[in-house]
Amino acid sequence: MRSLLLALLLGAGGAQAAVVNCAPAPNSFTVLLSEPSGGAMTDRAAVDGFLRRLQFALDRERDEQWINPDATPVAFRACPRRAPALDGSEFSPEVVEQLNDQRVLLEVWGAVDRDGTPPVLSAQMNYLLVPLRFAADQREAVPAAALQRLRYPEAGAAPAQDAVQLVARPQDLDAFIATSLGLKLLRERRFDPAHANLCRATRLLGALLKRPLAGRAKTELTALQHFVQDGAAKALRDALADPAYPKAGLLRLQNPAQPCAGEE
C-alpha cells in the first residue's frame, strides 16, 4: 500500500511539481511546510535554508491560539523537495486520507517571487485544510474551500526584504490550525475541544477578514468563517443529543443559536 501511494504521489504532478513523502511529527498534530516555487530562491541551498528558517520562525513566534486536547502539541515539519503544484492537483482522496490518518492538520506551500525595479518580494501562499478536504472527499456537505489562498504583502504593507519575514504569519496559521483541529475533533465526537477550537477559529478568521483582502480570497475566507461557526453550533447540538455526554458538561450551558457567545 505504501509503495502504491508513493507512486501516486510522484506521478500526480507535472514537471514543476512533486509531492514526495514527508513524515509527520510523532505524537503530535502536524503542519507540513512544503517548499515554494517561484523565482525568489534560485538554488537548492536557498530553498532548504528558507524551509529551515521558516520552521524555526513559526516554532518560536506562533501564538498557539487554539485548544490542545490532552496537551497534544501542534508541530511544524519542514518538507524539502515536497513541492505541490499551486492548484493542489496532487492531493487525491487517497493522499488526503493518509494525511488525515497521520493527524496532519495543514499543508502550507506556494510561490515566492522577486520582481520589479528595484526588486520586491511577493508571495501566494496556499493553506490546505486537511480535515475539510477529507470531509469533502467523503461527499459530505462542505460549502467552503479546503484550499485557502492568501497573497503577501497586503495592500499598503511595507515591502519585505526577506522571504521568511514575508510569509511567516503566525496569526494566519493559528486561524487555519484552530479550524482544522476543531473539525477533526468534531468528527471524533470530542465535543468540548471541538467547540472551543471552532469558536477560536471563528474569531481569528474574522480578524483576518478585516484586512484588505479582495476577490476570491475574501469570498472563500468568508465562506470558511460561516462554515466554521456552523460547525461550532453543530458541536453543541451533537453534544446535547449524545446520551454519553456528561450531565454536567460545560456545553450544556451554551445556546446553539449563539454558539460562541462568551467565548474569547
Side-chain angles (χ1 to χ4, degrees):
M1 178 65 183
R2 182 177 293 275
S3 61
L4 175 60
L5 179 60
L6 184 58
L8 287 169
L9 289 171
L10 291 172
Q16 300 301 316
V19 178
V20 300
N21 189 49
C22 182
N27 304 314
S28 301
F29 297 106
T30 303
V31 176
L32 299 182
L33 305 173
S34 294
E35 67 177 50
S37 57
M41 285 158 273
T42 57
D43 57 31
R44 183 75 252 160
V47 172
D48 290 346
F50 167 80
L51 287 176
R52 285 195 302 271
R53 292 191 301 115
L54 179 61
Q55 179 178 341
F56 177 80
L58 294 174
D59 278 333
R60 183 186 60 185
E61 296 175 4
R62 61 187 176 180
D63 296 326
E64 298 190 16
Q65 295 189 59
W66 59 81
I67 303 297
N68 285 11
D70 307 320
T72 302
V74 176
F76 291 95
R77 177 74 85 193
C79 298
R81 302 186 184 278
R82 183 176 173 95
L86 283 177
D87 64 1
S89 55
E90 299 93 341
F91 291 100
S92 67
E94 295 83 5
V95 172
V96 172
E97 182 176 12
Q98 186 192 46
L99 293 174
N100 189 67
D101 289 346
Q102 293 174 331
R103 300 202 294 180
V104 175
L105 299 176
L106 289 178
E107 182 149 354
V108 183
W109 77 100
V112 183
D113 290 295
R114 189 185 299 270
D115 298 303
T117 305
V120 296
L121 286 170
S122 64
Q124 174 191 304
M125 298 305 294
N126 291 352
Y127 302 86
L128 180 69
L129 285 70
V130 172
L132 190 58
R133 175 61 66 82
F134 178 75
D137 289 342
Q138 302 303 305
R139 302 188 183 279
E140 298 175 13
V142 179
L147 181 58
Q148 297 285 321
R149 300 174 173 90
L150 295 175
R151 296 197 63 85
Y152 305 111
E154 299 158 8
Q161 303 301 316
D162 177 80
V164 170
Q165 177 189 7
L166 178 67
V167 305
R169 300 299 182 101
Q171 291 183 342
D172 296 0
L173 283 163
D174 282 354
F176 295 131
I177 289 170
T179 296
S180 289
L181 190 51
L183 294 173
K184 186 167 185 62
L185 295 170
L186 180 57
R187 177 175 290 278
E188 295 173 356
R189 301 184 68 80
R190 301 172 69 181
F191 299 120
D192 286 271
H195 175 263
N197 276 296
L198 292 169
C199 286
R200 291 279 178 92
T202 299
R203 174 176 58 81
L204 292 167
L205 291 169
L208 208 166
L209 280 165
K210 292 178 180 178
R211 297 192 338 220
L213 305 175
R216 180 176 175 180
K218 185 171 184 177
T219 299
E220 292 185 345
L221 202 63
T222 300
L224 180 63
Q225 188 198 32
H226 292 162
F227 178 71
V228 167
Q229 188 165 29
D230 289 344
K234 176 175 169 54
L236 289 178
R237 292 193 302 269
D238 289 358
L240 299 180
D242 187 343
Y245 187 72
K247 297 296 184 183
L250 293 177
L251 296 186
R252 294 190 183 279
L253 303 176
Q254 299 279 350
N255 179 1
Q258 296 179 301
C260 296
E263 293 287 329
E264 292 183 6

